[in-house]
Each structure stands twice: as C-alpha cells, then as structure tokens.
Amino acid sequence: MKKIQMVDLKSQYEGIKEEVNKSLQEILESSAFINGPQVHAFQASLEQYLGVKHVIPCANGTDALQIAMMGLGLKPGDEVITADFTFAATVEVIGLLQLTPVLVDVDADTFNISIDALKKAITPKTKAIVPVHLFGQVANMEEIMKVAKEHNLYVIEDNAQGIGATYTYTDGSKAKTGTIGHVGATSFFPSKNLGCYGDGGAIFTNDDELAHILRGIVNHGMYERYHHDVIGVNSRLDSMQAAVLNAKLPRLDMYNAARRNAAKQYSTALANHPNVVTPKIEGDEYSHVFHQYTLRIVGADRNALMAHLQAKGIPCAIYYPIPLHSQKAYLDVRYKEEDFTVTNQLVQEVLSLPMHSELDEEQIQFITDEIKAFLG
Ligand SMILES: *Cc1c(COP(=O)(O)O)cnc(C)c1O
C-alpha cells in the first residue's frame, strides 16, 4: 500500500509534470515573472469555468477576502457577520480593516453558518455577511441571499474550500460557488482543491463597477499608471503560479470527482456506526467538493482515536480545535457561550481524515478498518 498522506501533492504532480515543467521553463526563459500571459490565460479560463464575468487574481485567499471588503467600501464600525467555526483568515481581515466581526454559530449537519443565528445577529450596523463553504459543502446560499436582500447587506463568499462546487436553487437553476454573492474570494494554497505551488488567490464578481474598483485596489489603488486614487495593496498572482493553475483547472472536475468518490467509500464503510457521524451532503452530490472529509466522533474518545490512527501511520487532523469566539485575538464581551453551543460541541467531536484526489480504495479500506477496530 502506498504511504497514506493527508494531502498527496507529489502524486498529483506526476500526472501534470510534463505540462507544468514546460510552462515553468518557458517563464524562466522569458523572464515574464509578473503579469505574464499565463496570468491572463488563467483569469479567462477561470471566468469561463465559473460562469462569472470577472476574475481578479491576487496573492492569496486572505488578501482576496480583504480586497473584496475594501472594494465594497466597508467602513470602520460596520458589522460583518461570519461563522464561528472556520479558519481564522475570514475574521482576521474583518478585524484588520477595523470592521466589527460578529461571529455566529453553525449547523451541526453541514458545519456551515446557521441561518437562525445569522438572522438574530443582524443589527442596524450590519453591512455584510461572509458565508464560508466549509470543507467544500456549499452554504445555504438561497436563504443567505434572501436575508441579505431583506436587510440590504453585501454577501462575500469565502470559497477557499469550495471551488468547483455547484449550488442548485430550489427552482433547479445552478451556479458555481463564489459567484452567487456580490463577490467571492478563493485561495490557491497548495492543499486547496485547486492549488498552485506557492500562494495564490482570486476574487470573483459579476458586477462590472466593483470589478473595476477591485482591479485598482490589488495594484496600489492605481487606475492609471502612477495615479493613486484610493489606498490599495500589492497583491498579485505570479506567472509561475498561474502556469500551475492552467495545468490544473481543466482537471479540477476530475480531481473533485475523485474526492467525492473517496468520500463515498469512506461514508459507506462507516455508515450506521453508533460512534461516527459521516458528513451530510446538502443538495445533490455536486454541492460538496470534499476539501476535507470530516467525521464527528460521538460517545467515544475522539483524541484517543486520533492517536490510534496516527500510530498506525494514518495522518488525521482536527479542523478546527478552537472556536474563533474563544481565540484570544477575537474575544468580545458581547459573545455568550450559550450562543455557540454547536461550535463548542463540534470542536470536541470533529476529525478530518486524509482527503485528496489520489487516495485509493486500499488506503480507504485500511483507514476505515482501523477506525472500526478502535471504536469496536
Ligand atoms: C485557506 C483559507 C483561507 C485563506 O487562504 P490563504 O490563501 O491561505 O490566505 C481563507 N478562508 C478559508 C476558509 C480557508 O480555508
């Protein structure tokens, strides 16, 4: 059996090696490291893949979120609602821009922002909602957009874990995640579903005016060379990262299908186990791209199971061990523990198993056998 890894970028590279090596070599020869033709090609291909009017490449997913918020003109004191159970980047940029983060609880079934908690958190100061498509499962976008419209709020989708997922509306129409809100942000960090070989990110929008604003912000607030109209940042996707993404984007659906197959095999093997809650897929199968395959371990010692698996050479991880509302940097007197019962419970129960496009049946069989052997 091949050594089990949480993420296996090396095996994936074997499948695109010639193409990637050739493009990287071309960039080395041309020296067009920044703003090369690979960046423009990637932007156009991603716009087409997502069915969105504008993709603005940038340096990483955290920047993408920050630039999106800057582009929307959010001002210090504006409240931005996001999920308590997610990676810190989301809340970090809200704080950096001196906006007021308002963390709310999530749903235990989907790990995504709770619509009830969201509604309760809205005040006259609320200006935006940042749903996160956590672990690759689309958030309930139809409800979120409805709430946003009612209260005149912007929606910024954190699509760092959801790229390639498709949301299906109740009327049957479909849209790719990241293109449903006013603006979407994603990350091309190597381990993401569409990852480059360093840092990268992008912002998506269908709004022409916002796209124009965003393009200036990523480039020092310049709309005309050396005319700085607004305070911007320096945030670029470089040519080499774009070259890697150009090789991977045409394979993204295939990679995501492989992740879904692995998830299906995991869930079948662990179905109906009294101590295991397998991930629930809300919507059709395309609504989940399994950035992570995350179990809930109930009525058993999650940490001991994790130690057992690691001792057997099976990597696994807790995403995320501490709710954001309990993190030192984001403490707020307004938060009450009883408002975060689900997140507080999830951090005790979640366990993410190896998940990537190269996982094979033998490996999954071994992993699930070991889980069942430990739990009994
Ligand atoms: C990875 C990630 C980010 C940040 O992306 P970087 O490219 O690492 O800056 C933001 N939000 C979520 C949910 C993520 O998983």
Side-chain angles (χ1 to χ4, degrees):
M1 187 174 64
K2 216 165 58 172
K3 185 174 180 288
I4 300 174
Q5 297 184 66
M6 202 65 189
V7 174
D8 188 354
L9 295 173
K10 180 71 170 36
S11 298
Q12 196 189 49
Y13 170 59
E14 295 301 330
I16 52 174
K17 191 170 185 168
E18 273 178 38
E19 201 176 325
V20 168
N21 288 8
K22 184 168 168 280
S23 335
L24 293 182
Q25 197 64 46
E26 278 168 16
I27 295 168
L28 290 172
E29 297 298 337
S30 75
S31 303
F33 299 115
I34 300 292
N35 223 356
Q38 296 79 7
V39 181
H40 302 278
F42 174 64
Q43 178 188 323
S45 319
L46 189 58
E47 283 166 354
Q48 192 179 11
Y49 173 82
L50 293 171
V52 71
K53 276 174 93 175
H54 306 280
V55 165
I56 297 103
C58 66
N60 58 67
T62 309
D63 274 9
L65 287 163
Q66 178 179 333
I67 294 157
M69 290 179 204
M70 291 169 77
L72 291 171
L74 301 180
K75 297 277 178 313
D78 287 351
E79 292 179 2
V80 180
I81 301 174
T82 192
D84 189 37
F85 188 61
T86 177
F87 181 59
T90 325
V91 64
E92 179 177 58
V93 299
I94 297 171
L96 269 176
L97 294 174
Q98 293 186 292
L99 313 173
T100 305
V102 177
L103 296 168
V104 301
D105 214 357
V106 296
D107 282 332
D109 278 348
T110 62
F111 306 123
N112 281 328
I113 194 163
S114 148
I115 301 298
D116 285 340
L118 162 65
K119 285 180 180 165
K120 276 193 211 128
I122 293 171
T123 76
K125 286 188 179 166
T126 308
K127 288 283 154 25
I129 308 166
V130 187
V132 182
H133 304 299
L134 201 73
F135 303 150
Q137 164 74 66
V138 294
N140 187 343
M141 289 309 294
E142 200 158 2
E143 282 298 318
I144 291 166
M145 295 311 291
K146 206 191 292 173
V147 173
K149 197 168 178 192
E150 245 167 64
H151 297 272
N152 203 20
L153 309 175
Y154 291 120
V155 174
I156 303 157
E157 292 177 74
D158 182 341
N159 198 33
Q161 300 188 6
I163 198 147
T166 302
Y167 185 75
T168 306
Y169 292 85
T170 39
D171 71 2
S173 59
K174 293 175 189 298
K176 289 282 187 202
T177 51
T179 69
I180 301 163
H182 300 88
V183 56
T186 205
S187 163
F188 303 123
F189 184 77
S191 66
K192 303 285 157 111
N193 292 38
L194 178 61
C196 55
Y197 292 166
D199 277 305
I203 313 155
F204 324 133
T205 186
N206 281 307
D207 181 331
D208 297 339
E209 199 179 328
L210 179 59
H212 173 74
I213 293 169
L214 294 169
R215 289 205 176 92
I217 292 175
V218 297
N219 189 25
H220 300 289
M222 279 195 284
Y223 295 90
E224 204 182 314
R225 204 163 168 76
Y226 299 122
H227 292 253
H228 303 273
D229 294 355
V230 295
I231 295 179
V233 294
N234 168 28
S235 191
R236 290 184 282 248
L237 180 74
D238 67 66
S239 307
M240 290 202 182
Q241 301 311 333
V244 173
L245 294 166
N246 282 329
K248 285 197 185 186
L249 180 58
R251 296 169 169 91
L252 177 60
D253 285 346
M254 181 183 85
Y255 293 150
N256 282 340
R259 285 172 179 270
R260 274 197 290 267
N261 275 340
K264 213 176 281 173
Q265 202 193 329
Y266 271 132
S267 290
T268 305
L270 296 169
N272 305 319
H273 193 289
N275 301 120
V276 178
V277 182
T278 57
K280 184 168 175 246
I281 301 175
E282 192 134 290
D284 67 16
E285 64 168 323
Y286 300 101
S287 72
H288 206 320
V289 291
F290 288 98
H291 175 61
Q292 297 294 345
Y293 182 86
T294 303
L295 300 174
R296 292 169 55 201
I297 305 301
V298 293
D301 188 339
R302 185 260 325 250
N303 293 349
L305 169 61
M306 185 158 100
H308 170 80
L309 294 177
Q310 286 169 343
K312 295 284 176 183
I314 300 168
C316 49
I318 298 171
Y319 303 121
Y320 296 91
I322 305 169
L324 291 178
H325 80 271
S326 309
Q327 299 279 1
K328 224 180 192 176
Y330 306 114
L331 294 176
D332 190 313
V333 291
R334 293 172 309 168
Y335 296 147
K336 296 183 185 64
E337 287 308 316
E338 60 264 33
D339 291 334
F340 299 101
T341 50
V342 177
T343 307
N344 285 340
Q345 188 185 336
L346 289 178
V347 296
Q348 305 293 327
E349 296 176 347
V350 287
L351 183 63
S352 296
L353 301 181
M355 177 47 79
H356 50 80
S357 54
E358 315 300 312
L359 212 55
D360 66 38
E361 283 184 22
E362 188 189 8
Q363 292 175 315
I364 298 173
Q365 184 74 46
F366 178 71
I367 296 165
T368 53
D369 284 350
E370 285 299 336
I371 292 172
K372 288 189 275 193
F374 177 84
L375 293 174

